């Protein structure tokens, strides 16, 4: 019978997680839950034990399991994020500036958790509060504000509110671009570029999306090197975008480069590598049709 990895006790009724995106329901303090990717004797934990252990963490706003290093998911993650927000609001009373920063982070994290389980309506005002606090603390032109803008824009994009999301992403992009050298915001800049590219793609502006993805590829190459897996992932996405644009030869070239990186980094049966090979097959099939159409003209 499953038992809690902290107190080693068990219970009869277990709240199972069916998949990473299905929320847990009917949680009580004594619920045994699977909140992360840990397996074996570390699979299960009482919700009350997890909450107690998490309160003792040095970085309370971190929602990462210290064992498997994965973010807690589902309703368990939401519960932890709510606890963090309550704790940060108490801190705010004792130290105004520190409390405001912690509260902004906690609001952002709770909004992210709610968004992950599809509760966009609850997440939206939290992201907006986090942005307002960030602007009050740092001023409107600080990279920390760009992070809040980016997160709010992504939520709006998920809801199909593209006209509201686009100016926020553009503003985030300009703030990251204007950040002083050595400020270590390259990853966030890449995220903003990629999110803006996705928005352009979803609104049918494929050439603009391609230009953003090209810029993002160059940034990741300069930051991580040309053989990094993040570069491979973006090359894969860019190749598929080129397929949508009918630019099959360019797509093939990028996808083969992506595959070479994958073959160096993964074993032959890795799901990521198999996906890259499958996408190359799609591109080659498109190329075959394209050649047939060209010959028939």
């Amino acid at each position: 019978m499953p038992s809690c990895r902290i107190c080693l006790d068990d219970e009869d009724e277990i709240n199972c997680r069916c998949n990473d995106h299905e929320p847990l329901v009917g949680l009580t303090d004594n619920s045994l839950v699977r909140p992360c990717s840990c397996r074996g004797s570390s699979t299960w934990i009482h919700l009350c034990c997890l909450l107690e252990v998490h309160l003792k963490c040095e970085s309370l706003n971190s929602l990462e399991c210290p064992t498997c290093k994965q973010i807690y998911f589902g309703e368990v993650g939401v519960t932890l994020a709510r606890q963090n927000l309550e704790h940060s609001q108490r801190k705010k009373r004792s130290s105004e500036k520190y409390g405001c920063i912690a509260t902004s982070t906690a609001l952002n994290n709770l909004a992210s958790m709610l968004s992950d389980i599809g509760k966009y309506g609850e997440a939206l005002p939290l992201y907006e509060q986090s942005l307002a606090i960030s602007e009050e603390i740092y001023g409107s032109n600080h990279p920390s504000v760009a992070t809040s803008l980016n997160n709010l824009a992504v939520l709006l994009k998920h809801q199909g509110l593209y006209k509201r999301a686009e100016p926020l992403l553009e503003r985030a992009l300009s703030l990251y671009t204007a950040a002083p050298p050595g400020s270590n915001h390259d990853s966030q800049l890449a995220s903003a570029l990629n999110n803006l590219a996705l928005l352009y793609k979803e609104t049918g502006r494929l050439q603009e999306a391609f230009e953003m993805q090209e810029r993002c590829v160059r940034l990741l190459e300069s930051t991580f090197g040309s053989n990094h897996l993040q570069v491979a992932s973006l090359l894969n996405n860019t190749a598929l975008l080129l397929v949508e644009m009918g630019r099959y030869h360019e797509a093939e070239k990028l996808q083969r480069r992506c595959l070479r990186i994958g073959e160096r980094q993964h074993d032959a049966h890795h799901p990521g590598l198999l996906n890259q090979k499958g996408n190359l097959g799609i591109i080659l099939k498109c190329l075959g049709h394209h050649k047939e159409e060209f010959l028939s003209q």
Side-chain angles (χ1 to χ4, degrees):
M1 178 177 290
S3 60
C4 174
R5 67 196 191 203
I6 301 298
C7 69
L8 304 181
D9 209 348
D10 57 46
E11 67 167 20
D12 294 330
E13 187 173 350
I14 298 170
N15 291 279
C16 292
R17 179 183 66 87
C18 297
N19 58 61
D20 288 1
H21 304 287
E22 182 174 322
L24 295 160
V25 295
L27 291 178
T28 67
D29 281 353
N30 290 325
S31 295
L32 269 176
V33 294
R34 290 189 297 177
C36 59
S37 298
C38 287
R39 293 294 179 261
S41 60
S42 296
T43 299
W44 299 95
I45 187 169
H46 285 120
L47 181 59
C48 57
C49 292
L50 178 59
L51 291 170
E52 184 178 351
V53 168
H54 189 68
L55 271 176
K56 297 175 182 177
C57 291
E58 285 185 22
S59 179
L60 187 60
N61 261 323
S62 172
L63 294 173
E64 181 183 278
C65 171
T67 303
C68 68
K69 306 301 182 185
Q70 299 298 308
I71 300 295
Y72 294 115
F73 38 60
E75 290 288 355
V76 175
V78 170
T79 302
L80 287 169
R82 289 192 194 282
Q83 176 180 262
N84 291 355
L85 179 57
E86 291 169 5
H87 185 268
S88 68
Q89 288 171 334
R90 289 195 295 271
K91 284 283 186 182
K92 184 178 178 181
R93 290 192 286 269
S94 61
S95 174
E96 189 66 23
K97 184 174 180 180
Y98 169 79
C100 286
I101 294 171
T103 297
S104 177
T105 302
L107 284 165
N108 180 80
N109 290 346
L110 177 54
S112 176
M113 286 293 174
L114 289 166
S115 179
D116 285 346
I117 60 174
K119 294 186 176 181
Y120 300 136
E122 292 183 50
L124 180 58
L126 300 178
Y127 273 138
E128 290 174 333
Q129 289 177 57
S130 178
L131 173 60
I133 293 171
S134 293
E135 289 182 317
E136 184 179 347
I137 296 170
Y138 299 109
S140 59
N141 297 319
H142 194 277
S144 293
V145 172
T147 301
S148 297
L149 288 166
N150 184 69
N151 293 341
L152 175 57
V154 169
L155 177 65
L156 292 169
K157 184 175 72 68
H158 285 328
Q159 294 179 288
L161 301 172
Y162 300 114
K163 289 184 178 179
R164 289 180 62 186
E166 185 173 345
L168 297 179
L169 283 173
E170 289 175 340
R171 184 180 160 203
L173 184 60
S174 67
L175 291 179
Y176 284 135
T177 303
S183 55
N184 297 320
H185 290 296
D186 287 347
S187 293
Q188 292 97 322
L189 174 57
S191 175
L193 286 166
N194 189 56
N195 288 330
L196 195 53
L198 290 172
L199 184 146
Y200 289 153
K201 180 183 176 183
E202 290 171 21
T203 53
R205 296 145 68 184
L206 299 185
Q207 181 58 38
E208 289 176 86
F210 174 69
E211 290 168 2
M212 281 291 161
Q213 288 197 330
E214 269 198 319
R215 185 177 166 188
C216 191
V217 168
R218 290 195 297 271
L219 175 63
L220 289 177
E221 286 176 329
S222 65
T223 303
F224 300 113
S226 59
N227 293 318
H228 196 275
L229 286 174
Q230 285 193 41
V231 174
S233 177
L234 194 57
L235 288 171
N236 179 80
N237 295 342
T238 307
L240 294 177
L241 176 61
L242 285 167
V243 169
E244 286 191 50
M245 299 171 72
R247 295 161 62 174
Y248 305 118
H249 289 287
E250 293 171 78
E252 180 189 5
K253 183 178 178 181
L254 284 187
Q255 193 62 32
R256 288 191 183 280
R257 184 182 161 205
C258 166
L259 190 56
R260 286 195 295 272
I261 297 172
E263 287 172 338
R264 281 193 289 267
Q265 302 284 350
H266 296 308
D267 63 62
H269 302 291
H270 190 279
L273 183 60
L274 296 176
N275 180 62
Q276 292 167 0
K277 288 181 177 179
N279 289 339
L280 179 58
I282 292 170
I283 294 168
L284 292 175
K285 184 176 180 181
C286 292
L287 259 177
H289 291 314
H290 179 70
K291 289 175 181 176
E292 288 170 11
E293 290 169 9
F294 177 79
L295 291 172
S296 65
Q297 290 177 355

